[in-house]
Amino acid sequence: MKIDVLQSTGCAKCLREMPELRAAAQAVDPGVEWHELDILQAIDYAVELGVLRPPAVAIDGELVFPSLPSAEALTAAMRARLGA
């Protein structure tokens, strides 16, 4: 599973919450591909996904969260995909 977090540089909320989100994702899928992308560096990808503003989270190339989710919401979405 691949998770892309599109964020802006210096996002205080992202810096504060990213370690917990990454740890939660790794607990669900130890082999998860976790990528933290600067939205300005990945603008074409962000537009392709339909991101209107950062932070946003895509799972396997699909925009799942248009804003930064809680760890619980992220793990629930991951479990749903693993079970599908």
Side-chain angles (χ1 to χ4, degrees), residues 21-56:
L21 286 174
R22 185 174 37 253
Q26 290 171 334
V28 172
D29 180 2
V32 69
E33 293 180 41
W34 182 271
H35 304 275
E36 296 173 20
L37 307 170
D38 183 315
I39 196 164
L40 295 178
Q41 299 298 318
I43 192 69
D44 291 336
Y45 180 51
V47 169
E48 179 183 315
L49 290 173
V51 175
L52 298 177
R53 62 187 174 105

